Amino acid sequence: MIDRLLVIGVGLIGGSLARALRSARHVREVVGFGRSLGNLQEAMELGVIDRAAVSLADAVQGADMIVLAVPVGTMPEMLQELGPVCPATAVITDVGSVKGTVIAAARQSLGAKFVHFVPGHPIAGTEQSGVGASLPELFVNRRVVLTPEAETDPVAIESVRGLWTATGAQVTTMSAVKHDEILAASSHLPHVLAFALVDLLVRRDDHREVFDCVAGGFRDFTRIAGSDPVMWRDICLANRDGILEILNQYRDSLADVVQAIEQGDGQWLLETFMRAKHARDNFNRKLGLNLPEA
Ligand code: NAP
């Protein structure tokens, strides 16, 4: 049970976490802090937070758990502000989609309090943003990855594990390096491809006719291009190496497809598509068709 939870960035993920913990009665009081008072006002009206803090120094007062749920590119400055004012006993965690850069920033800014920082990432979300889109059930049966460092306090890890378990999520741990490599392939690559595809098509002179003729495949493939551009810009910059590595592999794989089409190699195309269909069908069976989001 958390006595006072501070959520920094009460948007889709921060708001959903607060709602889930309230539903589970895992928290007594939720304090919100963020950029715009309008958003925090909405969060109060929706019953997501009990009160909004006007400054970070005010926000951290008496907090026993602090969750950073701002875009990844904003985490370093937020951690820098947090370092000097954060209570020495508070457990700090984050929900950022990239772990390496957030951990480096936390190590630099939190000093001795770094041992109480438990990096985390819920593999759940939607393409919508803001507290208005938050859902208490967002994390049920979804995976949350914690990427503690060697010096992370085991008691802090257990309280963050308890927080996510209370939301209905399944908590696992892995190294930050592995996390960033895996997520580059499973989440960051598909988002980059969706943005690039829509942008390619919209720059055509006949894009209206193209969009008039879209079918289910286009809708499925590009739904995630409706995601927040700021969040995805930050993820691309923060996970630069992981994303470049998988993008280069994808480019090689596309080059193989181009070559097969140029050479009329139907056998290669059929074998490749069958292998992919088989793998996708197996995932569908395993996951009950509900592939998780970012
Ligand atoms: P969101 O709905 O846009 O919420 C972001 C929140 O951060 C908003 O409340 C925003 O406040 C606040 N914020 C933004 N810039 C700020 C700044 N400079 N100072 C203080 N507050 C600031 O985004 P989200 O989808 O919840 O994403 C939040 C984090 O979760 C990101 O790190 C993302 O990588 C991670 N994540 C997202 C997903 C997903 O599918 N969306 C999934 C897993 C993890 P305002 O409302 O005032 O702008």
Side-chain angles (χ1 to χ4, degrees):
M1 173 84 175
I2 301 161
D3 187 52
R4 183 173 293 165
L5 170 75
L6 167 62
V7 179
I8 301 178
V10 190
L12 172 72
I13 301 296
S16 296
L17 176 59
R19 287 185 145 172
L21 294 173
R22 277 185 180 295
S23 301
R25 299 188 187 285
H26 194 76
V27 63
R28 187 186 62 79
E29 186 189 16
V30 183
V31 178
F33 179 70
R35 184 170 48 173
S36 71
L37 275 178
N39 177 55
L40 293 172
Q41 186 67 36
E42 185 185 356
M44 271 196 290
E45 281 160 15
L46 291 169
V48 177
I49 58 174
D50 295 297
R51 65 180 172 89
V54 289
S55 69
L56 194 56
D58 169 42
V60 296
Q61 292 301 318
D64 48 357
M65 175 75 74
I66 298 173
V67 178
L68 283 153
V70 294
V72 166
T74 306
M75 296 274 185
E77 66 183 70
M78 207 39 96
L79 282 158
Q80 216 169 13
E81 281 183 53
L82 189 61
V85 295
C86 175
T89 52
V91 173
I92 311 158
T93 187
D94 79 301
V95 299
S97 307
V98 180
K99 301 283 33 107
T101 49
V102 175
I103 291 170
R107 193 187 290 281
Q108 199 179 26
S109 298
L110 296 178
K113 298 169 192 167
F114 180 70
V115 294
H116 294 138
F117 178 67
V118 184
H121 176 208
I123 319 269
T126 71
E127 67 278 19
Q128 290 166 350
S129 305
V131 71
S134 63
L135 299 166
E137 66 277 12
L138 189 65
F139 309 110
V140 174
N141 291 328
R142 296 307 173 108
R143 212 160 157 200
V144 173
V145 181
L146 304 182
T147 63
E149 294 286 281
E151 63 268 62
T152 313
D153 175 14
V155 178
I157 299 173
E158 280 321 298
S159 34
V160 175
R161 186 189 292 280
L163 165 141
W164 285 112
T165 303
T167 70
Q170 291 157 11
V171 183
T172 54
T173 54
M174 66 176 72
S175 74
V177 170
K178 192 71 193 162
H179 168 278
D180 289 356
E181 189 185 310
I182 288 179
L183 269 291
S186 65
S187 168
H188 307 168
L189 175 70
H191 280 81
V192 170
L193 297 183
F195 282 123
L197 173 63
V198 175
D199 186 58
L200 169 75
L201 297 187
V202 83
R203 284 188 285 111
R204 287 171 60 114
D205 291 340
D206 61 352
H207 68 269
R208 285 187 201 289
E209 289 153 89
V210 172
F211 286 121
D212 277 348
C213 291
V214 296
F218 181 84
R219 263 191 291 272
D220 288 350
F221 190 84
T222 61
R223 176 181 57 79
I224 51 180
S227 303
D228 181 24
V230 171
M231 174 174 142
W232 283 99
R233 175 205 59 190
D234 285 2
I235 290 172
C236 285
L237 297 178
N239 198 14
R240 179 181 186 275
D241 293 350
I243 293 177
L244 286 179
E245 169 74 30
I246 194 73
L247 266 179
N248 283 330
Q249 288 174 24
Y250 192 78
R251 194 162 53 190
D252 291 347
S253 157
L254 270 187
D256 291 343
V257 175
V258 169
Q259 191 182 47
I261 294 173
E262 277 172 356
Q263 295 175 350
D265 191 346
Q267 186 59 28
W268 186 93
L269 290 170
L270 186 63
E271 279 170 17
T272 304
F273 295 168
M274 279 175 67
R275 202 165 53 236
K277 176 181 162 44
H278 182 67
R280 180 66 163 86
D281 289 349
N282 276 343
F283 288 141
N284 284 352
R285 264 193 293 280
K286 205 169 133 197
L287 298 171
L289 267 172
N290 284 320
L291 288 172
E293 302 290 329

